[in-house]
Amino acid sequence: MAAGGDGGGAVVVAVAGVTLAGVYSPLVFPRSVGVAEARRRSAADGRPVVFWRPGCAYCLRLRIRLGLRGGRAHWVNIWRDAEAAAAVRAVNDGNETVPTVVVAGTAYTNPDPAWVRERV
């Protein structure tokens, strides 16, 4: 597009590409752990367990809004852990709705990021 003289179109395509790369990038999210390890860590330190999956805009919104505090939560990718996916389905009427955040044993589906930030 840029070579053809359509600089504006090239910018739009580039921005869209970078946005998609960010949404699907594991670099945006802290390193995922398995659900058993996340539960063990959460029981020890009281921090929330966040169930997420790549490509989820709501998960990305939560991660961005948590900022640096987001690394303190225990992140579990439900596409890499079948037990995690089952845990999410169990609290969401059979749906894999994410983000699902577990605080002190209680699950919250797509909670307000400000509320989660107070708990990390």
Side-chain angles (χ1 to χ4, degrees):
M1 286 184 183
D6 185 13
V11 169
V12 168
V13 169
V15 168
V18 168
T19 301
L20 284 174
V23 168
Y24 286 95
S25 173
L27 300 175
V28 174
F29 293 89
R31 186 168 183 258
S32 287
V33 296
V35 68
E37 178 65 14
R39 287 177 176 156
R40 185 192 67 72
R41 290 181 184 180
S42 180
D45 62 20
R47 295 180 186 164
V49 175
V50 181
F51 294 96
W52 73 286
R53 65 172 169 75
C56 168
Y58 297 104
C59 298
L60 183 61
R61 173 181 157 254
L62 175 63
R63 177 62 190 103
I64 290 170
R65 296 273 310 275
L66 290 178
L68 294 176
R69 292 184 189 180
R72 296 176 61 197
H74 306 293
W75 295 79
V76 181
N77 181 344
I78 66 167
W79 283 359
R80 290 193 174 177
D81 188 329
E83 185 182 347
V88 169
R89 285 191 304 269
V91 297
N92 289 303
D93 299 322
N95 299 306
E96 291 183 356
T97 306
V98 288
T100 296
V101 179
V102 177
V103 177
T106 302
Y108 302 89
T109 303
N110 198 16
D112 185 311
W115 181 86
V116 178
R117 192 173 40 246
E118 292 172 5
R119 282 145 183 85
V120 290

